[in-house]
Amino acid sequence: MRILIANDDGYLAPGLAALVEACRGLGEIDVVAPEQNASGTSNALTLQRPLSVWTAGNGYRYLNGTPSDCVHVALTGLLATRPDLVLSGINNGANMGDDTLYSGTVAAAMEGYLFGIPSIAFSLSEKGWSHIDDAARVARRLIEQVLARPPAPGHWLLNVNIPDRPEAELRGLRTTRLGRRHASEPVIRQTNPRGEPIYWIGAAGDAREAGEGTDFHAVAEGFVSVTPLQVDLTDHARLPVWQTWLAGSKA
Ligand code: MN
């Protein structure tokens, strides 16, 4: 068993160390993580410059790129053997609903999935690592179970959000669908010391669709949210609508 572990908070993040420690004994572990915090970089690959890879004192490898770069470079050049499982996290904060589109944590796991490898993204529901060791034990148990009893043949992608609370206060696992958020808060305009306007991207909006069955709902109720993800962005439901519309249109 070979496990590749990446994240988006950077190779020094406590959540990465917790996930690596949680996986001890499960197999050969390789860590390839970004040099700096790369949260919110989605599936970006660095194409305009080369990437350098260094090895930290603890054996983790890190590179000056994105989470997707880490997994991409690991799978296509760095690792001698293809891993059986790709893990990402544990992220500092939730990745639920529409956040998953911007998430570097999810993207790192998705890169493994795109290469045909079962992959799991782990996130802690609140920032600050309060219950990171509890979350790591939850991650370990889930990983052990999917290894012992694979949920589906072939490859698959899971997005796991763990409530930030003591393990004893968790209510179990829930299979969920992604909820939705309202549009983000407006950008925050400030003035830099040279008198020029600068802008900070605003906070994510509140949950809009957070009902029963969603990731938001499960985590709010104290359950570990497990969402199976796919990558196909095709609007299958509206495909016939567009087929009809195009039939009446000129090329
Ligand atoms: Mn992050």
Short mmCIF file of all heavy atoms in Angstrom, two decimals, residues 23 37 70 87 97-98 106 116 151 155 177 201 212-213 220:
data_model
loop_
_atom_site.label_atom_id
_atom_site.label_comp_id
_atom_site.label_asym_id
_atom_site.label_seq_id
_atom_site.Cartn_x
_atom_site.Cartn_y
_atom_site.Cartn_z
N CYS A 23 -1.91 8.24 9.46
CA CYS A 23 -1.77 7.16 8.46
C CYS A 23 -0.60 6.23 8.75
O CYS A 23 -0.38 5.27 8.00
CB CYS A 23 -1.61 7.77 7.07
SG CYS A 23 -3.13 8.50 6.46
N ASN A 37 1.07 28.63 1.84
CA ASN A 37 -0.37 28.44 1.86
C ASN A 37 -0.94 28.72 0.47
O ASN A 37 -0.74 29.79 -0.08
CB ASN A 37 -1.00 29.37 2.90
CG ASN A 37 -2.46 29.03 3.16
OD1 ASN A 37 -3.18 28.62 2.26
ND2 ASN A 37 -2.88 29.19 4.39
N CYS A 70 1.40 19.77 -6.86
CA CYS A 70 2.04 18.78 -5.98
C CYS A 70 1.68 17.36 -6.40
O CYS A 70 2.55 16.50 -6.56
CB CYS A 70 1.61 19.01 -4.53
SG CYS A 70 2.23 20.54 -3.83
N LEU A 87 -4.48 11.31 -0.53
CA LEU A 87 -5.19 12.03 0.52
C LEU A 87 -4.80 13.49 0.50
O LEU A 87 -3.67 13.83 0.15
CB LEU A 87 -4.84 11.44 1.90
CG LEU A 87 -5.06 9.94 2.08
CD1 LEU A 87 -4.58 9.51 3.47
CD2 LEU A 87 -6.52 9.58 1.87
N GLY A 97 -20.31 22.70 0.08
CA GLY A 97 -21.10 23.42 -0.92
C GLY A 97 -20.22 23.94 -2.06
O GLY A 97 -19.32 23.26 -2.54
N ASP A 98 -20.51 25.18 -2.48
CA ASP A 98 -19.78 25.77 -3.61
C ASP A 98 -18.30 26.01 -3.32
O ASP A 98 -17.51 26.20 -4.24
CB ASP A 98 -20.43 27.10 -4.02
CG ASP A 98 -21.90 26.92 -4.38
OD1 ASP A 98 -22.26 25.87 -4.92
OD2 ASP A 98 -22.69 27.85 -4.10
N VAL A 106 -9.61 20.14 -1.96
CA VAL A 106 -10.39 19.24 -2.82
C VAL A 106 -9.64 19.02 -4.14
O VAL A 106 -9.60 17.91 -4.67
CB VAL A 106 -11.81 19.81 -3.06
CG1 VAL A 106 -12.56 18.97 -4.08
CG2 VAL A 106 -12.58 19.87 -1.74
N GLY A 116 -6.93 8.50 -11.97
CA GLY A 116 -7.50 7.17 -11.81
C GLY A 116 -7.25 6.52 -10.47
O GLY A 116 -7.34 5.30 -10.34
N PRO A 151 -15.45 0.91 -1.36
CA PRO A 151 -16.86 1.21 -1.56
C PRO A 151 -17.33 0.98 -2.99
O PRO A 151 -18.51 0.77 -3.23
CB PRO A 151 -16.96 2.70 -1.20
CG PRO A 151 -15.57 3.22 -1.37
CD PRO A 151 -14.65 2.09 -1.07
N HIS A 155 -11.84 3.93 -9.39
CA HIS A 155 -11.47 5.07 -8.57
C HIS A 155 -12.69 5.91 -8.23
O HIS A 155 -13.72 5.85 -8.89
CB HIS A 155 -10.39 5.91 -9.27
CG HIS A 155 -10.84 6.51 -10.56
ND1 HIS A 155 -11.25 5.75 -11.62
CD2 HIS A 155 -10.94 7.79 -10.95
CE1 HIS A 155 -11.59 6.56 -12.62
NE2 HIS A 155 -11.42 7.79 -12.25
N ARG A 177 -24.92 15.36 -0.02
CA ARG A 177 -24.69 16.07 -1.28
C ARG A 177 -24.19 17.46 -0.93
O ARG A 177 -24.33 17.91 0.22
CB ARG A 177 -25.98 16.17 -2.10
CG ARG A 177 -27.06 17.02 -1.45
CD ARG A 177 -28.30 17.15 -2.33
NE ARG A 177 -29.22 18.13 -1.78
CZ ARG A 177 -30.10 17.88 -0.81
NH1 ARG A 177 -30.18 16.66 -0.29
NH2 ARG A 177 -30.91 18.82 -0.36
N ILE A 201 -10.75 40.19 -1.50
CA ILE A 201 -11.91 39.37 -1.80
C ILE A 201 -12.73 39.19 -0.51
O ILE A 201 -12.16 38.92 0.56
CB ILE A 201 -11.47 37.98 -2.32
CG1 ILE A 201 -10.72 38.12 -3.65
CG2 ILE A 201 -12.65 37.02 -2.45
CD1 ILE A 201 -11.58 38.53 -4.83
N GLU A 212 -31.71 19.19 4.98
CA GLU A 212 -31.45 17.77 5.21
C GLU A 212 -30.76 17.15 4.00
O GLU A 212 -31.20 17.37 2.86
CB GLU A 212 -32.81 17.09 5.46
CG GLU A 212 -32.73 15.63 5.85
CD GLU A 212 -32.58 15.44 7.35
OE1 GLU A 212 -33.24 16.18 8.10
OE2 GLU A 212 -31.80 14.57 7.75
N GLY A 213 -29.71 16.39 4.24
CA GLY A 213 -29.04 15.71 3.13
C GLY A 213 -27.81 16.45 2.63
O GLY A 213 -27.00 15.88 1.92
N ALA A 220 -23.44 20.72 10.77
CA ALA A 220 -24.12 21.51 11.80
C ALA A 220 -24.75 20.61 12.86
O ALA A 220 -24.85 20.97 14.03
CB ALA A 220 -25.19 22.40 11.17
#
